[in-house]
Amino acid sequence: MRISLGRLRRPLAWFALVWCAWVAPTANHVAAQEVVAHRWGFDGRAVPERFNRLSVQFLNPHSENVRTKVSVRPTGFAGAVGAAVEQDLFLAPGQRRWLDFVVFVQQEVNGARASWKDPSLGRRVSASLPIQPLPESLGFGSWSPGATVDLRDPKDPLRRGIPKLPTLDPARFPTSLVATDGLLRIVLDAPPALDAVRAQVFQDWFRKGGEVVLLNTSDGPWPPTGALSMLAEDA
């Protein structure tokens, strides 16, 4: 049987054209925004059967603005668990930004999934946000009874922080009381710079039962003032 090569070249040429037009651009395409980091709770762990803060950092690697809506939903081994929460996201070219979500973590939850519509792709994309077990050398796993944090500005050169204690930037202190559900204790060696909204949430968290540890400075005890004035009243 004789096969004409001329007849084969035409369909092969059409196949190559379709591949170049569809597959190649998709393979080289970079998403309009990317998840570059995420953190459960205030110390990298989640508190079961409580509302937990889930912080997700996005990056826009392109030269155009990105505006979209991000949805986050807890997940378990069998799929989605519980309700989704949404936030608007705007990123200027090259910008990184943290979004803080508040999700309820049931016992069967092992992570979450973030999804959003990619403007450049014209479809929804997603990223997995697992609850990562911490090293056994630290003496605890991925579940937390509640976080203990050092509330201070991490960029302040005069404050080195407390060894082995996670730092919480006052600028990222929660703006709602429910977001503090997994926060057990705050350690302070100086008054934190809290805006009016965060100062009110701090006071409400303390009155609800939150613990505050005041460390002495080299000059001795320092008087709580401003948002911390109720600590002196409670002493």
Side-chain angles (χ1 to χ4, degrees), residues 46-185:
V47 184
E49 302 302 325
R50 304 284 287 272
F51 286 98
N52 285 256
R53 185 164 86 164
L54 172 56
S55 302
V56 187
Q57 188 182 43
F58 292 87
L59 165 68
N60 176 11
H62 295 283
S63 58
E64 297 180 356
N65 293 336
V66 170
R67 190 186 303 273
T68 187
K69 187 181 292 289
V70 180
S71 174
V72 167
R73 190 171 188 180
T75 56
F77 292 107
V81 179
V85 291
E86 290 186 338
Q87 281 201 52
D88 293 324
L89 173 66
F90 174 81
L91 291 171
Q95 182 183 9
R96 292 174 182 252
R97 182 185 173 191
W98 286 95
L99 288 184
D100 296 322
F101 299 87
V102 179
V103 297
F104 189 81
V105 174
Q106 302 178 39
Q107 287 284 356
E108 63 267 32
V109 168
N110 61 9
R113 181 163 293 277
S115 64
W116 62 92
K117 184 175 181 180
D118 189 309
S120 60
L121 289 176
R123 59 178 174 84
R124 294 191 71 81
V125 295
S126 64
S128 178
L129 310 171
I131 299 176
Q132 297 285 4
L134 296 180
E136 294 182 1
S137 59
L138 295 180
F140 41 74
S142 56
W143 292 117
S144 169
T148 297
V149 300
D150 176 14
L151 186 61
R152 67 177 180 86
D153 183 354
K155 298 183 292 295
D156 187 344
L158 301 179
R159 300 182 62 195
R160 298 181 179 178
I162 303 170
K164 297 185 178 180
L165 199 61
T167 298
L168 176 59
D169 190 337
R172 295 193 58 227
F173 190 81
T175 56
S176 67
L177 183 61
V178 68
T180 66
D181 206 17
L183 184 58
L184 176 65
R185 185 181 299 108

Side-chain angles (χ1 to χ4, degrees), residues 211-223:
E211 301 177 19
V212 177
V213 177
L214 300 180
L215 300 181
N216 292 340
T217 66
S218 57
D219 299 325
W222 49 277

